C-alpha cells in the first residue's frame, strides 16, 4: 500500500488531502476538513471527496483530477502511482 499526503492549494489550507494505492483493489483519495465544527460554522460545510472506498479506481489521471481543485499535484505523482500499481499488482 502507498499513501501520499498532498499540500493544499492556497485558500484550501483547511483540507487534508491523501492519495495512494491499495493493492487489494484500487487507487484511493480522501479530501477532508478536520477543522470544521458544525456547531460554530453550520452554514459553511466543507467539501468532501472520497474515492476508492466503494468503486475501483485504476486510472491515476482520473484520481488526481478529482483532488486537483484542492491540492498541489507534484509533477511525478502520476508516475509514482503507476509504479506503485505495477510493483504491487491487484490481489484477487
Amino acid at each position: 500500500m502507498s499513501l501520499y499526503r498532498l499540500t493544499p492549494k492556497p485558500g484550501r489550507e483547511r483540507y487534508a488531502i491523501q492519495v495512494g494505492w491499495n493493492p487489494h483493489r484500487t487507487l484511493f483519495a480522501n479530501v477532508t476538513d478536520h477543522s470544521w465544527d458544525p456547531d460554530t460554522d453550520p452554514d459553511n460545510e466543507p467539501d468532501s471527496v472520497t474515492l476508492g472506498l466503494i468503486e475501483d479506481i485504476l486510472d491515476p489521471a482520473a484520481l488526481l483530477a478529482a483532488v486537483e481543485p484542492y491540492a498541489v499535484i507534484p509533477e511525478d505523482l502520476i508516475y509514482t502511482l503507476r509504479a506503485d500499481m505495477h510493483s504491487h499488482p491487484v490481489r484477487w
Side-chain angles (χ1 to χ4, degrees):
M1 185 168 143
S2 63
L3 176 66
Y4 304 99
R5 296 175 194 273
L6 304 180
T7 302
K9 285 185 170 180
R12 300 289 191 159
E13 292 86 358
R14 69 192 272 181
Y15 294 98
I17 306 105
Q18 300 178 356
V19 299
W21 170 243
N22 179 342
H24 291 287
R25 187 176 77 193
T26 185
L27 291 161
F28 61 89
N30 291 302
V31 176
T32 55
D33 179 357
H34 297 290
S35 67
W36 182 61
D37 182 350
D39 294 329
T40 61
D41 197 11
D43 297 326
N44 195 20
E45 187 171 335
D47 296 336
S48 175
V49 175
T50 302
L51 297 173
L53 186 61
I54 297 172
E55 69 284 334
D56 291 342
I57 309 280
L58 300 175
D59 180 1
L63 182 83
L64 296 178
V67 299
E68 189 277 329
Y70 306 93
V72 175
I73 308 293
E75 275 185 38
D76 62 343
L77 184 56
I78 192 167
Y79 305 110
T80 301
L81 289 168
R82 286 182 181 147
D84 292 344
M85 293 172 73
H86 179 73
S87 296
H88 304 283
V90 173
R91 299 177 191 157
W92 299 104

